[in-house]
Amino acid sequence: MIRAIIRPEKSSKVLTALFEAGYPAVTKIPVVGRGKQRGIKIGEITYDELPKEMLIVVVNDEDKDYVIKTIMDTAVTSPKGAFGDGKIFVTQVEEAYTISRGSKEL
């Protein structure tokens, strides 16, 4: 399972890139949070929780690196990247079930 927390303005492009790469099954969740920089300060106002979107994709192990590269290439905001571009987490999925069929998938 790949969980990517990205800037909201990059979400559509990442979803399109994943779809075009053959990975249409994605869950998108609006989230808020902060990274190491502890939010952002604009003038006298500090925003310690910033809006992001979390995309969740479950893929076969052999597809993992390609999907991560697709997300990274599409979600980055500049050639060198910038604080707040996001984070990707990868975890193993032990089991999955399709509710409508009542069947185990993995």
Side-chain angles (χ1 to χ4, degrees):
M1 179 184 322
I2 299 168
R3 286 177 280 186
I5 300 173
I6 61 173
R7 294 177 184 261
E9 65 270 18
K10 289 292 190 168
S11 180
S12 303
K13 290 182 180 180
V14 172
L15 289 170
T16 299
L18 289 170
F19 181 82
E20 290 175 353
Y23 304 94
V26 180
T27 299
K28 180 173 90 167
I29 304 168
V31 295
V32 295
R34 62 176 176 256
K36 293 178 188 175
Q37 66 274 20
R38 300 181 185 157
I40 187 170
K41 185 171 184 175
I42 300 174
E44 296 297 314
I45 300 173
T46 299
Y47 299 93
D48 62 347
E49 292 183 344
L50 302 173
K52 301 286 182 184
E53 293 203 351
M54 181 166 47
L55 305 180
I56 302 172
V57 186
V58 177
V59 299
N60 292 321
D61 285 341
E62 61 268 14
D63 298 331
K64 176 189 67 152
D65 292 337
Y66 180 74
V67 171
I68 290 169
K69 183 172 178 2
T70 300
I71 294 168
M72 290 183 74
D73 290 349
T74 312
V76 70
T77 56
S78 68
K80 292 185 178 182
F83 288 118
D85 279 353
K87 192 74 92 175
I88 296 175
F89 302 94
V90 180
T91 56
Q92 292 290 325
V93 174
E94 293 183 26
E95 295 180 353
Y97 297 84
T98 297
I99 294 171
S100 62
R101 290 192 299 258
S103 62
K104 187 174 180 176
E105 295 298 318
L106 296 177

